[in-house]
Amino acid sequence: MNLQEKIDLNNLPKHVAVIMDGNGRWAKQKGGARIFGHQNAISAVRDTVEGSAELGIPYLTLYAFSTENWSRPQYEVNALMELLVSTIRKETATLNKNNIRLQTIGDTDSLPKTCRRELLEAMELTADNTRMTLNVALSYSGRWDLTQAMRQISALVVAGELQPADINEQLISEHVATAGMPDPELLIRTSGEMRISNFLLWQLAYTEIYITNLLWPDFRKQHLYEAILSFQSRERRFGKTSEQLTNKSIT
């Protein structure tokens, strides 16, 4: 039995988030420049998107470019933006063929005009697809997300449409970038780093975390399956005890 056949399709995470890390180190190991790693990461993205859709995972969020990444060398940022545009152009037809909707989360107004135009066109072309939603986090950070949510909520208070006492977890969830989506149940991080890097800070409250030492350009469907099998082997208690989950009496 292969790994995919071992997966319980009735116990899939509704939302998987991925911190795609290790492109630069992968390129260095190969003797190439950092952009070489980013270029070779496209196969990992394609495999992860395809594998998630085939399993029936409704939402997949990929951390592609953080607000902190703007501080990288300008030549690398420029190369990344060019790669983003060319990849969107090439992959939009494939997304449509596989009935996958593309969305973005993040401060996309900070992206170059060409990138924004390509993203908007791809999102419009895939808007009616229903098999899976692919969220690409671009110029995104968890603190940015919470800041923009607080600004929206504060504006409602100032306008008299909301009282401070009305602010609760549900309201905040309705104003973060992933509003309308379930919180991620599984977070995958490649390259062995043990941190969440300012990603989905509000949404990851009860997310299961899976860390692999594999560098992102080497990530393939079988590694996605390994992460999901790990998720399915865990007991998710949400602050309760094991006995409560199994309706056992506590003695």
Side-chain angles (χ1 to χ4, degrees):
M1 180 182 293
N2 61 38
L3 286 178
Q4 184 177 6
E5 293 173 339
K6 294 180 180 179
I7 293 173
D8 179 1
L9 297 181
N10 295 313
N11 185 29
L12 289 170
K14 295 180 179 63
H15 188 170
V16 174
V18 184
I19 298 177
M20 307 180 293
D21 195 20
N23 293 350
R25 275 166 283 176
W26 186 91
K28 187 175 181 180
Q29 289 176 4
K30 305 293 183 182
R34 291 178 61 84
I35 191 60
F36 178 63
H38 298 312
Q39 292 167 339
N40 281 274
I42 295 172
S43 294
V45 171
R46 189 179 293 119
D47 246 40
T48 303
V49 172
E50 188 176 281
S52 298
E54 288 172 351
L55 288 173
I57 293 170
Y59 295 91
L60 174 67
T61 297
L62 303 179
Y63 202 10
F65 192 86
S66 72
T67 53
E68 291 82 6
N69 288 155
W70 289 113
S71 63
R72 290 188 175 184
Q74 191 60 49
Y75 71 86
E76 182 178 353
V77 172
N78 292 342
L80 276 169
M81 292 300 110
E82 291 173 7
L83 180 62
L84 173 64
V85 169
S86 64
T87 301
I88 292 170
R89 287 173 180 166
K90 291 176 183 177
E91 299 298 326
T92 300
T94 302
L95 292 175
N96 270 329
K97 179 181 178 181
N98 289 286
N99 196 22
I100 297 171
R101 178 175 60 171
L102 176 68
Q103 291 189 338
T104 59
I105 57 173
D107 183 16
T108 52
D109 287 342
S110 63
L111 296 173
K113 187 181 296 184
T114 303
C115 291
R116 295 200 305 271
R117 184 175 65 247
E118 293 291 338
L119 278 169
L120 182 60
E121 182 177 345
M123 287 190 290
E124 290 175 347
L125 289 171
T126 63
D128 295 329
N129 295 339
T130 57
R131 185 183 187 187
M132 186 179 79
T133 296
L134 169 62
N135 293 309
V136 180
L138 288 165
S139 194
Y140 176 92
S141 75
R143 289 184 175 181
W144 166 87
D145 198 357
L146 287 170
T147 299
Q148 63 87 28
M150 294 308 102
R151 285 174 177 166
Q152 291 179 32
I153 293 171
S154 297
L156 294 174
V157 173
V158 170
E161 299 177 26
L162 192 70
Q163 295 299 312
D166 297 328
I167 300 173
N168 54 29
E169 291 186 14
Q170 180 179 345
L171 184 71
I172 295 172
S173 292
E174 290 171 355
H175 285 85
V176 293
T178 54
M181 308 174 201
D183 288 339
E185 294 177 272
L186 173 63
L187 170 68
I188 300 170
R189 177 161 192 156
T190 57
S191 86
E193 300 292 348
M194 301 289 185
R195 56 180 179 269
I196 58 175
S197 296
N198 203 0
F199 185 45
L200 299 174
L201 298 179
W202 177 262
Q203 298 90 332
L204 294 179
Y206 279 103
T207 301
E208 297 295 326
I209 299 176
Y210 178 85
I211 307 291
T212 174
N213 289 324
L214 200 73
L215 300 178
W216 177 246
D218 291 326
F219 196 87
R220 294 294 182 270
K221 287 183 186 180
Q222 69 186 65
H223 306 114
L224 172 68
Y225 302 153
E226 289 170 359
I228 292 172
L229 286 169
S230 175
F231 167 84
Q232 293 184 339
S233 71
R234 304 180 191 184
E235 181 182 67
R236 308 191 74 215
R237 296 192 297 273
F238 300 98
K240 298 180 179 179
T241 66
S242 297
E243 290 81 3
Q244 285 176 299
L245 292 177
T246 55
N247 294 318
K248 294 179 180 178
S249 61
I250 304 175
T251 58

Coordinates of all heavy atoms in Angstrom, one line a residue, residues 31-77:
G31 N 25.3 24.9 -5.9 CA 26.3 25.8 -6.5 C 25.7 27.0 -7.3 O 26.4 27.6 -8.1
G32 N 24.4 27.2 -7.1 CA 23.7 28.3 -7.9 C 23.4 29.5 -7.1 O 23.5 29.5 -5.8
A33 N 22.9 30.5 -7.7 CA 22.4 31.7 -7.0 C 21.0 31.4 -6.4 O 20.3 30.5 -6.8 CB 22.3 32.9 -8.0
R34 N 20.6 32.3 -5.5 CA 19.3 32.0 -4.7 C 18.1 31.9 -5.7 O 17.3 31.1 -5.5 CB 19.1 33.2 -3.7 CG 20.1 33.2 -2.6 CD 19.8 34.4 -1.6 NE 18.4 34.3 -1.1 CZ 18.1 33.5 0.0 NH1 19.1 32.9 0.7 NH2 16.9 33.5 0.5
I35 N 18.1 32.7 -6.8 CA 17.0 32.7 -7.7 C 16.9 31.3 -8.3 O 15.8 30.9 -8.7 CB 17.1 33.8 -8.8 CG1 15.8 33.9 -9.5 CG2 18.3 33.6 -9.6 CD1 14.6 34.3 -8.7
F36 N 18.0 30.6 -8.4 CA 18.0 29.2 -9.0 C 17.1 28.3 -8.1 O 16.4 27.5 -8.6 CB 19.4 28.7 -9.1 CG 19.5 27.3 -9.6 CD1 19.1 26.9 -10.8 CD2 20.0 26.3 -8.7 CE1 19.2 25.6 -11.3 CE2 20.1 25.0 -9.2 CZ 19.7 24.6 -10.5
G37 N 17.2 28.5 -6.8 CA 16.3 27.8 -5.9 C 14.9 28.2 -6.1 O 14.0 27.3 -6.0
H38 N 14.6 29.4 -6.2 CA 13.2 29.9 -6.4 C 12.6 29.3 -7.7 O 11.5 28.9 -7.7 CB 13.1 31.4 -6.4 CG 13.6 32.1 -5.2 ND1 13.2 31.7 -3.9 CD2 14.5 33.1 -5.0 CE1 13.7 32.4 -3.0 NE2 14.5 33.3 -3.6
Q39 N 13.4 29.3 -8.7 CA 13.0 28.7 -10.0 C 12.6 27.2 -9.9 O 11.6 26.8 -10.4 CB 14.0 28.9 -11.1 CG 14.2 30.4 -11.5 CD 15.5 30.6 -12.3 OE1 16.4 29.8 -12.3 NE2 15.6 31.7 -13.0
N40 N 13.4 26.5 -9.2 CA 13.2 25.1 -9.0 C 12.1 24.7 -8.0 O 11.7 23.6 -7.9 CB 14.5 24.4 -8.7 CG 15.4 24.2 -9.9 OD1 15.3 23.2 -10.6 ND2 16.3 25.1 -10.1
A41 N 11.7 25.7 -7.3 CA 10.6 25.5 -6.3 C 9.2 25.4 -7.0 O 8.3 25.0 -6.3 CB 10.6 26.7 -5.3
I42 N 9.1 25.8 -8.2 CA 7.9 25.8 -8.9 C 7.3 24.3 -9.0 O 6.1 24.1 -8.8 CB 8.0 26.4 -10.3 CG1 8.3 27.9 -10.2 CG2 6.7 26.2 -11.1 CD1 8.6 28.6 -11.5
S43 N 8.2 23.4 -9.2 CA 7.8 22.0 -9.2 C 7.2 21.5 -7.9 O 6.2 20.8 -7.9 CB 8.9 21.1 -9.6 OG 9.4 21.4 -10.9
A44 N 7.7 22.0 -6.8 CA 7.2 21.7 -5.5 C 5.8 22.3 -5.3 O 4.9 21.6 -4.8 CB 8.2 22.2 -4.4
V45 N 5.7 23.5 -5.8 CA 4.3 24.2 -5.7 C 3.3 23.4 -6.5 O 2.2 23.1 -6.0 CB 4.4 25.6 -6.2 CG1 3.0 26.2 -6.3 CG2 5.3 26.5 -5.2
R46 N 3.7 23.0 -7.7 CA 2.8 22.3 -8.6 C 2.4 21.0 -8.0 O 1.2 20.6 -8.0 CB 3.5 22.1 -10.0 CG 2.5 21.6 -11.0 CD 3.2 21.5 -12.4 NE 3.6 22.8 -12.9 CZ 4.9 23.1 -13.2 NH1 5.9 22.3 -12.9 NH2 5.2 24.3 -13.7
D47 N 3.3 20.3 -7.5 CA 3.0 19.0 -6.9 C 2.1 19.1 -5.6 O 1.2 18.3 -5.4 CB 4.3 18.3 -6.5 CG 4.6 17.0 -7.3 OD1 4.3 17.0 -8.5 OD2 5.0 16.0 -6.7
T48 N 2.4 20.1 -4.8 CA 1.6 20.3 -3.6 C 0.2 20.7 -3.9 O -0.8 20.2 -3.3 CB 2.3 21.4 -2.7 OG1 3.6 21.0 -2.4 CG2 1.5 21.6 -1.4
V49 N 0.0 21.6 -4.9 CA -1.3 22.0 -5.3 C -2.1 20.8 -5.9 O -3.2 20.6 -5.6 CB -1.3 23.2 -6.3 CG1 -2.6 23.5 -6.9 CG2 -0.7 24.4 -5.7
E50 N -1.4 20.1 -6.8 CA -2.1 19.0 -7.5 C -2.4 17.9 -6.5 O -3.5 17.4 -6.5 CB -1.1 18.4 -8.5 CG -1.7 17.4 -9.4 CD -0.8 16.9 -10.5 OE1 -0.7 17.7 -11.5 OE2 -0.2 15.9 -10.3
G51 N -1.5 17.6 -5.6 CA -1.7 16.5 -4.6 C -2.9 16.9 -3.6 O -3.7 16.1 -3.3
S52 N -2.9 18.2 -3.2 CA -4.0 18.6 -2.3 C -5.4 18.5 -3.0 O -6.3 18.1 -2.4 CB -3.7 20.1 -1.9 OG -2.5 20.1 -1.1
A53 N -5.4 19.0 -4.3 CA -6.7 18.9 -5.0 C -7.1 17.5 -5.2 O -8.3 17.2 -5.1 CB -6.5 19.6 -6.3
E54 N -6.2 16.6 -5.5 CA -6.6 15.2 -5.8 C -7.1 14.5 -4.5 O -8.1 13.7 -4.6 CB -5.3 14.4 -6.2 CG -4.9 14.8 -7.7 CD -3.6 14.2 -8.0 OE1 -2.9 13.6 -7.2 OE2 -3.2 14.2 -9.2
L55 N -6.6 14.9 -3.4 CA -7.1 14.3 -2.1 C -8.5 14.9 -1.7 O -9.3 14.2 -1.1 CB -6.1 14.6 -1.0 CG -4.8 13.8 -1.0 CD1 -3.9 14.3 0.1 CD2 -5.1 12.3 -0.8
G56 N -8.7 16.1 -2.1 CA -10.0 16.8 -1.8 C -9.9 17.8 -0.7 O -10.9 18.0 0.1
I57 N -8.7 18.4 -0.5 CA -8.5 19.4 0.5 C -9.1 20.7 0.0 O -8.7 21.2 -1.1 CB -7.0 19.6 0.9 CG1 -6.5 18.3 1.5 CG2 -6.8 20.8 1.7 CD1 -5.0 18.2 1.7
P58 N -10.0 21.3 0.7 CA -10.7 22.5 0.1 C -9.9 23.8 0.0 O -10.1 24.6 -0.9 CB -11.9 22.7 1.1 CG -12.1 21.4 1.9 CD -10.7 20.9 1.9
Y59 N -8.9 24.0 1.0 CA -8.2 25.2 1.0 C -6.7 24.9 1.2 O -6.3 24.1 2.1 CB -8.6 26.1 2.1 CG -10.0 26.7 2.0 CD1 -11.1 26.0 2.5 CD2 -10.3 27.8 1.3 CE1 -12.4 26.4 2.4 CE2 -11.6 28.3 1.1 CZ -12.6 27.6 1.7 OH -13.9 28.0 1.5
L60 N -5.9 25.6 0.4 CA -4.4 25.5 0.5 C -3.8 26.9 0.5 O -4.1 27.6 -0.5 CB -3.8 24.6 -0.6 CG -2.3 24.5 -0.7 CD1 -1.7 23.8 0.5 CD2 -1.9 23.9 -2.0
T61 N -3.0 27.2 1.5 CA -2.4 28.5 1.5 C -0.9 28.4 1.5 O -0.3 27.7 2.4 CB -2.9 29.3 2.8 OG1 -4.3 29.5 2.8 CG2 -2.2 30.7 2.9
L62 N -0.3 29.1 0.6 CA 1.2 29.0 0.4 C 1.8 30.3 0.7 O 1.4 31.4 0.2 CB 1.5 28.6 -1.0 CG 0.9 27.3 -1.6 CD1 1.4 27.1 -3.0 CD2 1.4 26.1 -0.7
Y63 N 2.8 30.3 1.6 CA 3.5 31.6 2.1 C 4.6 31.8 1.0 O 5.7 31.3 1.1 CB 4.1 31.3 3.4 CG 4.4 32.6 4.2 CD1 3.9 33.9 3.8 CD2 5.1 32.5 5.4 CE1 4.2 35.0 4.6 CE2 5.3 33.6 6.2 CZ 4.9 34.8 5.8 OH 5.2 35.9 6.6
A64 N 4.3 32.7 0.1 CA 5.2 32.9 -1.0 C 6.2 34.1 -0.8 O 7.3 34.0 -1.3 CB 4.4 33.1 -2.3
F65 N 5.7 35.1 -0.2 CA 6.5 36.3 0.0 C 6.0 37.1 1.1 O 4.9 37.6 1.2 CB 6.4 37.2 -1.3 CG 7.5 38.3 -1.4 CD1 8.7 38.0 -1.9 CD2 7.2 39.6 -1.0 CE1 9.7 39.0 -2.0 CE2 8.1 40.6 -1.1 CZ 9.4 40.3 -1.6
S66 N 6.8 37.3 2.2 CA 6.4 38.0 3.4 C 6.7 39.5 3.3 O 7.5 39.9 2.4 CB 7.1 37.4 4.6 OG 8.5 37.8 4.6
T67 N 6.1 40.3 4.2 CA 6.5 41.7 4.2 C 7.9 41.9 4.5 O 8.6 42.9 4.0 CB 5.6 42.4 5.2 OG1 5.7 41.8 6.5 CG2 4.1 42.4 4.8
E68 N 8.5 41.0 5.3 CA 9.9 41.1 5.6 C 10.8 40.8 4.4 O 12.0 41.3 4.4 CB 10.3 40.1 6.8 CG 9.7 40.5 8.1 CD 8.3 40.1 8.3 OE1 7.7 39.4 7.4 OE2 7.6 40.4 9.3
N69 N 10.3 40.1 3.5 CA 11.1 39.7 2.3 C 11.5 41.0 1.4 O 12.4 40.9 0.6 CB 10.4 38.7 1.4 CG 10.4 37.3 2.0 OD1 9.5 36.5 1.7 ND2 11.4 37.0 2.9
W70 N 10.8 42.1 1.6 CA 11.1 43.3 0.9 C 12.5 43.8 1.2 O 13.1 44.6 0.5 CB 10.0 44.4 1.1 CG 8.7 44.1 0.5 CD1 7.5 43.9 1.2 CD2 8.4 44.1 -0.9 NE1 6.5 43.7 0.3 CE2 7.0 43.8 -1.0 CE3 9.1 44.3 -2.1 CZ2 6.3 43.7 -2.2 CZ3 8.5 44.2 -3.3 CH2 7.1 43.9 -3.4
S71 N 13.0 43.4 2.4 CA 14.3 43.9 2.8 C 15.5 43.1 2.2 O 16.6 43.3 2.5 CB 14.4 43.8 4.4 OG 14.3 42.5 4.8
R72 N 15.1 42.0 1.4 CA 16.2 41.3 0.8 C 16.9 42.1 -0.3 O 16.3 43.2 -0.7 CB 15.6 40.0 0.1 CG 15.2 39.0 1.2 CD 14.7 37.7 0.5 NE 14.4 36.7 1.5 CZ 14.1 35.4 1.3 NH1 14.1 35.0 0.0 NH2 13.9 34.6 2.3
P73 N 18.0 41.7 -0.8 CA 18.7 42.4 -1.9 C 17.7 42.7 -3.1 O 17.0 41.8 -3.4 CB 19.8 41.5 -2.3 CG 20.1 40.7 -1.1 CD 18.8 40.5 -0.4
Q74 N 17.8 43.9 -3.6 CA 16.9 44.3 -4.6 C 16.9 43.4 -5.8 O 15.8 43.1 -6.4 CB 17.2 45.8 -5.0 CG 16.1 46.4 -5.9 CD 14.7 46.5 -5.2 OE1 14.7 46.9 -4.1 NE2 13.7 46.0 -5.9
Y75 N 18.1 42.9 -6.2 CA 18.1 42.0 -7.4 C 17.3 40.8 -7.2 O 16.7 40.2 -8.1 CB 19.6 41.7 -7.8 CG 20.3 40.8 -6.8 CD1 20.2 39.4 -6.9 CD2 21.0 41.3 -5.8 CE1 20.8 38.6 -6.0 CE2 21.7 40.5 -4.9 CZ 21.6 39.1 -5.0 OH 22.2 38.3 -4.1
E76 N 17.3 40.3 -5.9 CA 16.6 39.0 -5.6 C 15.1 39.3 -5.6 O 14.3 38.5 -6.2 CB 17.0 38.5 -4.3 CG 16.2 37.1 -4.0 CD 16.6 36.5 -2.7 OE1 17.6 37.0 -2.0 OE2 16.0 35.5 -2.3
V77 N 14.7 40.5 -5.1 CA 13.3 40.8 -5.1 C 12.8 41.0 -6.5 O 11.7 40.5 -6.9 CB 13.1 42.1 -4.3 CG1 11.6 42.7 -4.4 CG2 13.4 41.9 -2.8

